[in-house]
Structure formats: C-alpha cells, structure tokens
Amino acid sequence: MAATIRLSERHVGLTGTNPSVGTLIVRDDGDGPVIVGRGITAPGGRPHAETIALTEAGDLAIGATAYVTLEPCAHHGRTPPCAEALVRAGIARVVAAAGDPDPRVSGRGHAILRAGGISVVPHLLADEARQPMSGYLARLTRKRPEVTLKLAVSRDGMIGRRGGGQVAITGPVANAQTHLLRARHDAILVGAGTIHEDDPALTCRLPGLESRSPLRIVLDAGLRTALSSRLVRTASETPTAFAVLGDPAAAAAFRAAGCELIACEAEPGTDRIALEELLDDLAARGISSLLVEGGAQTARSFLEQNLVDRIVLVTGDTLVGAGGIASPLVPSDMPADFRAGRQLQLGPDLWREYERRTF
C-alpha cells in the first residue's frame, strides 16, 4: 500500500475534479508477489486508476489482489463503476486505504466488491493515503478548496520591505521547493498589494513542469492592478483571474488581455471581498486546492477567518531591517489546532509544514 500511495503522488494537481488515486494489481503464483498492473488517475481525471491497472494486468488480474488508495467508485458516470470493473476482471481481494466521502460512493464501492465475492480489507494506511488527495477530500467535506498558506519569513520576522520591491528572503533550493508546491495546487492566490509591490509571475518554473502552473487569482476588489503588470501581460499564457466587486470600469481591458473576472460578494459593511463565499465559488467550479502566497493582510484575513488548512513557513537567514513588513505568523505563534509535520533543511533555509486534519 505504501508503494501505491507513492504512485498516486505523481499526478497530484493534474486530475481536475477527481483525486489522484493509485492502484497496483499484485499476484502470487508461488514465487512471491509480483506487480502485474499499475494505474494512476489520468490527467484530467479519466480514466480512473483501477481501469488503467486492470488493462495493463489483463488476464493476470484473475485471482490477484488490487491495492487502491481510495474506495473504488460505485456510480455510473462517463464510465461504469470501478468497483464493478474489479469484479468483472476476477480480482480476488481488494486492499483499500481511504474511504470516499462522495455520497454516491461512500460504503457502496466496498459493498459492490463484497457482493461480487471479493474479499475487502479497508482502511489500510488511510491517513497516509489521504495526503495526496487532501484537496479533493476538503472540497467534498467542507464544500471549499483545501487552503495552504505559504509564507517566507526573514530572520527578523519579516516577509518583505514596503516600497522596496521583491526581497530575496530564501535561496534557490527553497525557491525550487515553492515552485513544486505551486505545481501541486489547482490555484494560487495573492492580494493586489503583492502585485503592486512585487509584480510576481506566480508560475511554476521548474524545468519540465512549466505547464503545471496553476490558475492565478488576485484579490482586487476595485481592479486597480496595472495592465502592465506581469500577470496581466502573461494572462494569455497562464490562466489568470481577478476577484472583484461589482463591475469595475477597467473590466473590459482586463478581459481583452485574457483575464477572467470573478464577481464576488463583499464582507458586510466593508469593501473587502468575502473570502468564504469566494472559496465556495471556487469549489463549485472544481478547484480543490488553493495556495495562498501573499501578502501580509491577505494571509492575516485567511487566518482570522479560520480558512487555512495547512501552513508552510520557510525561514531564511536574510535580515530585512527597517521598513520591513512583519509576518502575520511565526513558528512560535502557531495556532494550537495545527500540528507540526514535515521539516526540511533546504540549504540555509528551514522549511516547516503544519497541518490541521478534520477528515
């Protein structure tokens, strides 16, 4: 199962509204177990992992064991249910990890397998299997994307310098890890102030992964971002959206540049975008994972409204000094309901992850 989970990691961020699921078909004819079929949910979400693995295994699937990271689907969509496909293929045993909260599947996939004479072993390494599909699980259970807040914090607790443009807080290894993080998300969000101060590209620029740049979303209630900004100029190359209030005067120019405008509600009594309603809208269009990268006010708003599920703090050795913008969060102030996860030493920089799990 651990190998199946590792396999499922390969397509995280590529499978649309479906989770990236892994499947291994294993048989033992007396000389030890042999993998005869491998499958990962295909880019775009179809075909499913079970179908791919069964196709590779062919007749060798008869009497074999299927390891799957998510309960096989039980509903008819564009293709028949994977649970039925496993029965038809002659699989003798299914070892499953996480259950599927989709009401069309939950418990029904396992029931179809058992009714077809297949032995089912559920919930093996379920917590580990949920990690690659955590965005999908959040969208199904919370009706919003899973939100990861990422902050790069200097040695003196700053995330930048006001009016000074981009400040290099972390080095090349940590920066490459950030680009990988972007590639694993459906969308990335920043506030308009970050665009004004830093003019970032917000793309994945790792060799070979450039096509995995996520949808870029800017919170800009009045649409005051300059048309000359890097995001607007590259909107025809990388999907870009602006979350706005009403119908700003500049709307036509932004649409002509290739930008999408997302009409949002305002927080009561303010001119700020209502984040919770925005997340609802993003989930409705199939966005399962959202990376929030800046700036201080945007990060603080997500934290104060309890909309953050995972936190990535990267601390560098840089001293920002006078004019610095204080980070809304440092390791010593981590909210009590977050637990420490992976920690990486990336050259001189320290990468820390914290997560809150309620699935």
Side-chain angles (χ1 to χ4, degrees):
M1 181 59 76
T4 312
I5 294 169
R6 289 195 297 271
L7 183 66
S8 75
E9 292 271 5
R10 294 188 183 182
H11 287 174
V12 172
L14 294 178
T15 55
T17 59
N18 289 335
S20 181
V21 174
T23 298
L24 291 179
I25 310 292
V26 180
R27 66 179 296 119
D28 189 342
D29 294 322
D31 297 321
V34 176
I35 296 172
V36 296
R38 299 168 178 81
I40 323 168
T41 307
R46 298 280 179 172
H48 287 180
E50 295 94 330
T51 301
I52 295 170
L54 289 172
T55 299
E56 182 178 306
D59 290 341
L60 293 176
I62 299 172
T65 294
Y67 292 84
V68 294
T69 59
L70 183 69
E71 178 181 0
C73 66
H75 58 288
H76 286 265
R78 283 177 286 173
T79 57
C82 290
E84 293 182 2
L86 291 164
V87 173
R88 289 196 304 271
I91 290 290
R93 178 171 170 260
V94 169
V95 181
D100 193 334
D102 187 329
R104 300 171 299 173
V105 180
S106 184
R108 296 179 60 201
H110 291 160
I112 291 172
L113 297 174
R114 293 189 177 102
I118 294 177
S119 171
V120 178
V121 180
H123 311 308
L124 180 67
L125 297 184
D127 286 344
E128 292 85 347
R130 290 187 185 104
Q131 295 292 328
M133 62 183 83
S134 56
Y136 167 80
L137 296 173
R139 183 168 56 82
L140 265 288
T141 58
R142 301 173 191 167
K143 310 305 179 187
R144 64 166 177 80
E146 180 184 51
V147 175
T148 297
L149 172 63
K150 183 261 177 181
L151 293 167
V153 184
S154 68
R155 185 150 54 96
D156 52 350
M158 305 296 172
I159 64 170
R161 183 179 295 113
R162 198 170 305 280
Q166 286 190 336
V167 178
I169 290 175
T170 54
V173 180
N175 292 344
Q177 185 73 13
T178 295
H179 285 259
L180 182 60
L181 187 66
R182 291 174 179 174
R184 293 170 61 88
H185 282 76
D186 296 331
I188 180 172
L189 180 145
V190 298
T194 295
I195 305 302
H196 176 73
E197 292 282 345
D198 300 341
D199 194 22
L202 301 180
T203 54
C204 174
R205 297 188 291 280
L206 293 177
L209 294 182
E210 295 89 348
S211 64
R212 294 185 61 170
S213 295
L215 168 67
R216 304 175 297 187
I217 302 173
V218 182
L219 297 178
D220 191 356
L223 201 56
R224 296 185 177 88
T225 296
L227 287 168
S228 59
S229 68
R230 195 182 309 186
L231 260 67
V232 177
R233 287 188 286 107
T234 59
S236 60
E237 303 164 15
T238 303
T240 304
F242 285 81
V244 300
L245 296 177
D247 187 22
F254 277 78
R255 289 193 178 100
C259 300
E260 176 190 357
L261 300 188
I262 303 174
C264 299
E265 299 177 29
E267 291 182 12
T270 75
D271 59 356
R272 296 191 301 270
I273 289 168
L275 297 179
E276 195 162 359
E277 283 74 11
L278 172 60
L279 294 181
D280 288 344
D281 292 343
L282 295 179
R285 60 189 284 175
I287 292 176
S288 298
S289 56
L290 178 69
L291 177 61
V292 178
E293 271 204 54
Q297 183 55 53
T298 298
R300 190 172 291 108
S301 295
F302 273 88
L303 288 167
E304 289 174 350
Q305 296 181 42
N306 201 31
L307 296 174
V308 177
D309 305 300
R310 179 180 288 117
I311 297 170
V312 174
L313 278 183
V314 192
T315 51
D317 201 40
T318 301
L319 281 172
V320 172
I325 302 171
S327 173
L329 194 64
V330 293
S332 58
D333 295 331
M334 193 58 52
D337 55 341
F338 281 81
R339 66 173 185 262
R342 188 173 61 155
Q343 181 170 302
L344 303 172
Q345 189 70 50
L346 303 174
D349 305 316
L350 183 60
W351 179 287
R352 297 183 181 94
E353 295 180 6
Y354 304 84
E355 59 187 8
R356 177 173 55 201
R357 288 278 177 255
T358 56
F359 300 124

